[in-house]
Amino acid sequence: MSNITIRNYIKGLEMRRTNFKKSVLATSIAVVLTSSSPSLAIAAEETNADDNIEIIEVTGIRASSKASINQKRFATSQVDGITAEDIGKLPDVTIADSLQRITGVQITRSAGEGGTIAIRGLPQVGTTMNGEVFLSATTIDTSGANFGDLPAQLFSGLEVFKSAEASRSAKGISGSVDLKTRRPFDMDTGWTFNAAAEASQGSISEETDPNFNGLVSFNNDKFGVLFSAAKQQATLATDYNGYFDTSEDGGIGAANNSHTWGAGPNSGDIRHVVPQGFAAFNKQEERDRDAFQLSVQADLGEGFTLTADAFYSKQERFNNRSGFSQNNRWQSFNDYAFPSDGFTDDAPFTDDDGNEWRGVNAFDMKSYRMQSFTQVNINEEESQNYNLQLDYDNGGALTGGVRMTRAKAEASMRHAYGEGDILSIDQGTLVTGPGGLAPASYCNNGEEIVGDQGGCFAQYSQGIQDQFMLNYDARGEHPHFSGFNQMVNGGKGMRSVGDYMSDLDSYHVGAFSSEGNTDDVGEINTFSTAWNYAFDDMPFITSVDFGVRYEERKVDHDQFTYTSEFGGGCDIAQWKAVDQFYGDECVGVDGAGEMVDGEWTPYTLLAPTRLDEHTSVSYQTDFGNVTGIPGVWVIDPENFRDPRQFQKDVFGNVQRVENAGRTYDVNLNEFSYFLQANFEEGIFSGNFGVKVVETEQYVKQNLVGPSLPHSGLNPDIGDVVTERDYTDVLPSINVAAAVTDDVILRAAYAKNMMPLNLGALGGGKSVGKVFNEECGCLRVVEGSLAGSPDLDPWRSTNYSVSAEWYNGDASMMFISAFNIDIESFVGSGTVMIDEPDDDGVKRGPWPFSTPVQAEGGSIKGLELGARVAFDDFIDVPVLSNFGLDANYTYSDSTQDSDLAKDVYGSDLPFPGMSEDTYNFVLWYEQEDFSTRLAWNSVSPRLITTGGAGVGGQTLYQDTYSQLDFSATYNLNEMFSFYVYGSNILEEYQQTYLENSSQKAFQNVYEARWTLGARMTF
């Protein structure tokens, strides 16, 4: 193992807290050196720092736990931390998975890995790296923390700040996270080398992925340089089933109810949710991560230290799904899916119009559309963060420095999908006619010639030409589909539904599209100077911190679609589909239509196309835990690796057309200054101060015109610019009382501010439309007004108290309580707008979702936990090598708004919040071997509130638990071997609508195992 002496902590276990000047010094050194850089806001009060330093070699679970305990003990505010067990070895595979072990921290998962971070129930979390703002490509236009693009091996530790200090630059309503990288002056003198190689595999994907990371460092106490890098590949399987939805992790945006568009023939008096369809997909995400860190430090003499850092990360993600979908083709909700086994046992509710609603878990579905469906999202995320700082500490009363950071991040997402329809659109089925007229070249199967140029209503495939019912049953642990043994008529005579599904000749392409693509560019530039002045003999006040800071943030967000021109440019389409036809602008244009019975009749934009005409295909019979589906022919996702090129190859041309309602520019410039006093009186110590933040906001939105044909695109017809400024005065107080040598009581108060997700400021109007056979046009079904530049930022007043008992060298117990009063935030609202359909007729009004200014809300909670190293209390062979880490968080939140009520009239929690979070870690460590079992569980959390279409019912994730495992064997001081296992019990995410018995969809996560070897010398 390495002999890395990380000067993180002070010799505080033997110190009395009543000697305040030493404790302040100790805290300063802990904060400075744990963050791998001298703090600009905190400085030592005495020159002889080395007398109070305990050198802790952080190698192993116990030492890591001890270091994290000392982080908490000697912090000047309420802090929790995680320290790497060795170079390149945080306790978990990902940063987010490590953070979820901390009380008050919750994570959401994407493709099975930890994603967005929430502290004490809120995702409005600030992120810094080594004490200054960090820009990630995953959060360019959001105000949250997501570390999915960052390899954990490049970090030495993490700190979670739950109470604010005026001297800290981090934002955050409920807290902030500081990522810590290594710097050369943290390392042993001389050269240090570290390298690791890993192979990982998932239980579903069964792909073996290589990973490599390494570090080289040189330090001679006057000059140092450190370079570390990581390369990771992962193939993450996350099968999906349930409500048909095309968002990456599922949703209810396409769901409606049994009375949408009026009462149907079998709607009855009781309303219930009707999804747009039901699906079972194999879904996986390929992730390639590359990252490196370069750090250079120089002791310039006379107390000056120069530090320069560069951190680069790049991630490519290929998220793909393929499988089975049975849906309503947007033709009907009120006559599509009906309860096949009555309603759930949950209490009914009554909406504002007096209608009774019940839950449904099993449906009989009419055969509007049955298809295979393939979709991909290709993400490229790249960020660069640079830091240059000059610190001054010459042993005198004044210490501090100046710092400049530059950060730029770019993120792109490309989306594409293809549909393989099995039902005929020519005859016999519920929906006939979308295929329309085709040119003579497609009239080779005995069709009747009806056009003056030999055109016909062509046969699209030899698929099913009949009507039948399928059944979807989600009452068991996993869904079951049935009805595929029914005999139906079709292009090849009477056969079972399943037989037609297994015949490639049954399929035709229903649509190709690439829409909702995005490009994001963000920059954050800062300049700051911060200082500390220590007083030798002043009573009560021992030092003051003061400084100024300027931050410039720029974001350019573009959303666009790849369209293609048809008819020599007379028409343009986003949806190249069988139910889209040349428009009136193309009348008389050669190749756009022909005369039928004396009238010009347009061709369909997508003529009969076999599923395998432009793509490779495969027969899929694996639908994960879903049963009953015999199999479908699917387009291989690899065909869509380059959506733009695919569209060009198939349709001969491609254009990028902006979606004006989803495109915006936002600039935020902040000038802040702070003054903080650090104090000590008897057993009491702490700080109080104030930070003033002056913000200038610039928002450029697009004015939108009427929708373009065959699309959901609203063109840009002009810009509207809104500028405003506001000032926040943010006081903070942190008090600690060392009531005994081992017991510390803390209290904290602060006012916090954090900007909104920038889309809530800059987004415009978007209209959702679908083809309707009744009018032969695209009809409005919903829409959104995505942003308003007049919305205020998040603001809160935070209170917290805690008690900490340090009852061993590597053991402690704690309890804390907190209250966050939310003064302003953004909620979700709905307005009704009578938007015209494509034929100019207004058939609304229709619900448009919009962000609204919300005022009032609170989060109250309790955190308690214990870290125990058994050898602190017993001296028994084997048992003394054990330890545990257990904690629990309770969070209760309410939104004081009439818009934030559930269907029973109770206050809703804030989105993303779970009421209960549990962690239990059991570890064992001896000289050459260590192992660890870590369990995490969260109670149901609110994902999103539903609109009028689902009766205002709310989507929740059900209770989710996960067990992880790790073990390390140290062959000698140079070589070690290890194994990691994440989600080893193969848990899955179940969602439900309002009540747990009304299931919505599942994301099924795989177990992943990693074998690795590490060398250090």
Side-chain angles (χ1 to χ4, degrees):
M1 297 296 291
S2 66
N3 190 32
I4 309 305
T5 55
I6 303 177
R7 298 185 173 100
N8 284 358
Y9 306 107
I10 57 105
K11 198 175 181 178
L13 297 176
E14 294 81 23
M15 292 173 58
R16 294 185 59 85
R17 294 280 299 182
T18 52
N19 184 346
F20 179 75
K21 290 187 177 181
K22 288 186 178 181
S23 69
V24 170
L25 170 63
T27 303
S28 301
I29 295 170
V31 172
V32 168
L33 295 174
T34 300
S35 66
S36 302
S37 69
S39 169
L40 295 180
I42 304 175
E45 295 190 16
E46 296 185 9
T47 61
N48 191 14
D50 290 338
D51 292 342
N52 294 302
I53 293 177
E54 176 187 11
I55 305 301
I56 298 178
E57 297 180 4
V58 183
T59 55
I61 299 176
R62 189 186 191 281
S64 172
S65 180
K66 177 180 177 180
S68 298
I69 287 172
N70 282 339
Q71 278 181 312
K72 186 177 185 73
R73 182 172 191 173
F74 299 110
T76 55
S77 59
Q78 296 183 14
V79 177
D80 285 292
I82 296 171
T83 304
E85 298 169 19
D86 200 350
I87 296 176
K89 191 181 178 185
L90 278 175
D92 291 276
V93 175
T94 70
I95 294 175
D97 287 322
S98 291
L99 281 168
Q100 72 176 340
R101 313 296 177 196
I102 292 177
T103 51
V105 176
Q106 299 169 349
I107 67 173
T108 58
R109 295 189 175 276
S110 177
E113 288 191 341
T116 304
I117 306 297
I119 297 177
R120 290 177 169 172
L122 289 177
Q124 283 69 37
V125 174
T127 301
T128 57
M129 179 178 285
N130 302 322
E132 186 50 274
V133 65
F134 173 75
L135 178 60
S136 167
T138 58
T139 53
I140 290 176
D141 59 349
T142 63
S143 296
N146 185 323
F147 308 127
D149 60 331
L150 303 179
Q153 294 89 342
L154 298 190
F155 296 90
S156 61
L158 315 159
E159 279 188 318
V160 176
F161 291 85
K162 300 177 182 177
S163 65
E165 294 181 89
S167 59
R168 282 186 51 79
S169 65
K171 302 180 184 68
I173 293 298
S174 54
S176 62
V177 177
D178 188 32
L179 306 173
K180 301 179 180 302
T181 62
R182 289 182 171 82
R183 286 171 167 166
F185 283 180
D186 302 327
M187 313 300 288
D188 278 343
T189 56
W191 289 94
T192 301
F193 298 91
N194 176 275
E198 302 172 348
S200 62
Q201 188 178 88
S203 59
I204 299 176
S205 65
E206 298 183 347
E207 295 282 343
T208 299
D209 301 309
N211 300 301
F212 305 95
N213 63 87
L215 175 148
V216 58
S217 173
F218 172 77
N219 173 24
N220 67 2
D221 293 331
K222 289 295 184 181
F223 174 80
V225 60
L226 180 148
F227 178 81
S228 59
K231 184 174 184 60
Q232 296 181 330
Q233 293 182 357
T235 304
L236 309 171
T238 55
D239 290 344
Y240 176 91
N241 63 71
Y243 289 3
F244 177 57
D245 189 89
T246 58
S247 56
E248 210 161 276
D249 295 308
I252 55 172
N256 274 272
N257 68 82
S258 55
H259 283 68
T260 295
W261 300 333
N266 299 297
S267 293
D269 295 329
I270 297 177
R271 282 165 164 75
H272 61 82
V273 170
V274 177
Q276 197 249 326
F278 302 89
F281 297 135
N282 281 157
K283 189 178 71 165
Q284 68 178 23
E285 181 165 297
E286 300 171 13
R287 294 186 175 184
D288 290 340
R289 299 186 186 100
D290 297 298
F292 72 80
Q293 178 219 356
L294 176 66
S295 181
V296 179
Q297 289 184 293
D299 183 349
L300 305 180
E302 302 298 327
F304 289 98
T305 302
L306 181 67
T307 301
D309 301 299
F311 190 95
Y312 171 87
S313 68
K314 182 177 182 179
Q315 177 173 250
E316 297 178 356
R317 296 187 288 129
F318 182 64
N319 184 286
N320 63 89
R321 69 179 67 186
S322 62
F324 173 78
S325 168
Q326 204 276 10
N327 61 73
N328 65 2
R329 204 186 186 102
W330 293 107
Q331 295 299 300
S332 172
F333 286 95
N334 57 24
D335 195 33
Y336 163 54
F338 318 97
S340 62
D341 191 53
F343 300 105
T344 63
D345 295 331
D346 297 304
F349 68 90
T350 302
D351 64 22
D352 293 338
D353 296 324
N355 302 305
E356 182 181 348
W357 288 70
R358 299 292 298 271
V360 179
N361 251 344
F363 294 86
D364 287 326
M365 306 166 291
K366 283 190 173 182
S367 53
Y368 280 95
R369 192 174 209 176
M370 188 171 69
Q371 61 181 181
S372 66
F373 186 82
T374 298
Q375 174 181 288
V376 304
N377 289 329
I378 305 113
N379 292 267
E380 294 185 2
E381 299 148 342
E382 184 175 18
S383 65
Q384 306 167 54
N385 286 261
Y386 302 98
N387 170 70
L388 181 66
Q389 65 187 79
L390 181 66
D391 298 309
Y392 173 75
D393 183 355
N394 202 26
L398 181 67
T399 58
V402 293
R403 186 171 190 176
M404 180 174 66
T405 67
R406 295 288 183 267
K408 182 176 182 179
E410 298 181 3
S412 67
M413 191 280 289
R414 301 294 183 264
H415 172 83
Y417 67 84
E419 301 171 339
D421 286 353
I422 309 170
L423 304 184
S424 169
I425 53 176
D426 312 313
Q427 57 182 314
T429 55
L430 276 173
V431 182
T432 57
L437 187 67
S441 59
Y442 293 92
C443 304
N444 304 313
N445 299 298
E447 295 94 342
E448 179 185 0
I449 304 303
V450 296
D452 65 342
Q453 298 178 32
C456 67
F457 294 98
Q459 183 183 67
Y460 269 71
S461 70
Q462 299 183 61
I464 297 174
Q465 301 169 357
D466 211 339
Q467 300 178 27
F468 57 96
M469 302 283 284
L470 293 182
N471 181 263
Y472 170 85
D473 190 344
R475 291 173 298 174
E477 183 177 5
H478 301 290
H480 177 77
F481 286 83
S482 60
F484 302 101
N485 291 326
Q486 298 173 76
M487 300 302 292
V488 292
N489 199 9
K492 295 190 175 182
M494 293 297 294
R495 306 170 76 179
S496 71
V497 174
D499 286 341
Y500 270 106
M501 293 169 65
S502 66
D503 188 341
L504 183 58
D505 292 340
S506 301
Y507 293 74
H508 68 269
V509 174
F512 287 131
S513 183
S514 176
E515 60 200 62
N517 305 304
T518 59
D519 281 333
D520 289 286
V521 179
E523 293 183 22
I524 297 181
N525 302 316
T526 73
F527 177 83
S528 61
T529 180
W531 299 84
N532 174 274
Y533 189 85
F535 303 106
D536 286 334
D537 301 315
M538 178 178 288
F540 188 64
I541 302 297
T542 59
S543 69
V544 292
D545 293 302
F546 53 94
V548 297
R549 180 177 181 272
Y550 178 77
E551 176 180 311
E552 175 187 67
R553 182 182 181 188
K554 301 178 181 179
V555 170
D556 181 352
H557 174 81
D558 293 337
Q559 187 187 93
F560 62 93
T561 287
Y562 287 133
T563 64
S564 294
E565 292 182 348
F566 293 83
C570 69
D571 211 344
I572 186 174
Q574 164 185 314
W575 298 312
K576 299 88 172 176
V578 296
D579 53 11
Q580 303 296 306
F581 310 95
Y582 283 92
D584 293 340
E585 299 83 359
C586 298
V587 173
V589 174
D590 186 38
E594 57 187 272
M595 302 299 292
V596 177
D597 294 333
E599 293 186 6
W600 189 84
T601 303
Y603 293 143
T604 180
L605 292 184
L606 185 63
T609 306
R610 283 180 58 91
L611 191 65
D612 58 352
E613 183 172 337
H614 299 292
T615 63
S616 59
V617 298
S618 60
Y619 189 64
Q620 180 177 318
T621 58
D622 181 5
F623 301 95
N625 295 323
V626 174
T627 55
I629 304 173
V632 287
W633 283 94
V634 299
I635 298 171
D636 294 330
E638 290 292 327
N639 291 281
F640 299 142
R641 282 279 184 178
D642 186 342
R644 183 185 184 279
Q645 189 63 46
F646 178 83
Q647 301 287 320
K648 184 177 181 180
D649 290 343
V650 173
F651 301 104
N653 67 91
V654 64
Q655 296 82 36
R656 171 175 169 149
V657 178
E658 301 293 322
N659 186 358
R662 296 289 187 178
T663 297
Y664 54 83
D665 294 344
V666 177
N667 295 347
L668 293 176
N669 296 333
E670 293 181 354
F671 177 70
S672 62
Y673 40 95
F674 71 89
L675 177 65
Q676 176 177 298
N678 306 301
F679 66 88
E680 179 262 332
E681 184 66 36
I683 65 171
F684 294 99
S685 62
N687 57 70
F688 59 89
V690 63
K691 177 165 60 178
V692 179
V693 183
E694 300 175 358
T695 304
E696 295 178 349
Q697 175 183 295
Y698 167 96
V699 178
K700 186 181 79 172
Q701 297 171 288
N702 295 316
L703 298 173
V704 299
S707 296
L708 296 176
H710 320 297
S711 76
L713 294 171
N714 297 96
D716 182 0
I717 60 172
D719 297 330
V720 57
V721 173
T722 305
E723 298 184 60
R724 62 178 295 211
D725 58 75
Y726 51 86
T727 299
D728 289 274
V729 179
L730 307 174
S732 63
I733 302 174
N734 289 276
V735 180
V739 294
T740 72
D741 287 350
D742 300 322
V743 176
I744 300 173
L745 304 180
R746 299 183 191 269
Y749 158 86
K751 282 187 171 292
N752 294 329
M753 181 276 290
M754 191 166 194
L756 304 176
N757 290 341
L758 301 188
L761 299 174
K765 181 172 76 171
S766 297
V767 181
K769 299 180 179 180
V770 299
F771 179 79
N772 183 266
E773 193 174 31
E774 179 181 335
C775 69
C777 67
L778 288 171
R779 279 181 51 173
V780 177
V781 292
E782 48 81 28
S784 68
L785 303 174
S788 169
D790 296 322
L791 293 171
D792 291 330
W794 279 76
R795 292 189 174 105
S796 70
T797 302
N798 296 30
Y799 308 87
S800 59
V801 294
S802 66
E804 303 159 8
W805 178 28
Y806 298 90
N807 53 354
D809 183 56
S811 303
M812 70 166 298
M813 300 176 67
F814 64 91
I815 185 171
S816 62
F818 59 88
N819 183 82
I820 304 174
D821 287 332
I822 308 296
E823 299 167 11
S824 71
F825 62 99
V826 172
S828 298
T830 301
V831 295
M832 303 301 291
I833 298 177
D834 197 3
E835 187 79 13
D837 296 329
D838 270 15
D839 60 357
V841 177
K842 292 184 176 181
R843 297 178 173 90
W846 304 105
F848 278 61
S849 61
T850 182
V852 296
Q853 189 71 65
E855 297 181 359
S858 66
I859 302 171
K860 301 176 182 179
L862 182 72
E863 301 171 347
L864 55 93
R867 286 187 167 187
V868 179
F870 285 16
D871 62 355
D872 282 341
F873 307 99
I874 61 174
D875 185 12
V876 178
V878 181
L879 285 178
S880 299
N881 298 107
F882 280 94
L884 62 85
D885 184 353
N887 59 64
Y888 166 74
T889 302
Y890 170 78
S891 298
D892 181 31
S893 72
T894 58
Q895 302 179 53
D896 299 334
S897 169
D898 292 338
L899 298 174
K901 305 288 185 182
D902 68 14
V903 297
Y904 301 106
S906 301
D907 291 335
L908 284 172
F910 283 92
M913 174 172 289
S914 294
E915 190 170 87
D916 303 294
T917 304
Y918 305 87
N919 280 292
F920 185 83
V921 179
L922 178 66
W923 54 266
Y924 174 85
E925 184 175 57
Q926 60 176 349
E927 183 176 352
D928 298 325
F929 175 76
S930 63
T931 188
R932 179 174 173 269
L933 275 173
W935 176 77
N936 172 267
S937 181
V938 293
S939 63
R941 67 176 180 89
L942 189 156
I943 298 176
T944 187
T945 53
V950 295
Q953 297 183 77
T954 301
L955 181 67
Y956 290 89
Q957 174 190 291
D958 208 347
T959 297
Y960 179 82
S961 302
Q962 181 167 311
L963 183 66
D964 302 328
F965 167 81
S966 66
T968 300
Y969 173 70
N970 303 315
L971 182 64
N972 51 43
E973 292 186 356
M974 183 177 295
F975 294 100
S976 61
F977 303 92
Y978 52 91
V979 58
Y980 292 139
S982 61
N983 191 28
I984 61 176
L985 299 182
E986 298 185 327
E987 301 289 350
Y988 60 91
Q989 177 204 61
Q990 175 70 64
T991 65
Y992 61 84
L993 205 54
E994 197 62 45
N995 295 296
S996 59
S997 63
Q998 187 175 208
K999 299 176 182 179
F1001 56 85
Q1002 296 177 346
N1003 284 294
V1004 181
Y1005 303 137
E1006 64 181 354
R1008 290 194 63 81
W1009 292 93
T1010 300
L1011 294 174
R1014 179 178 292 107
M1015 176 181 66
T1016 304
F1017 60 94

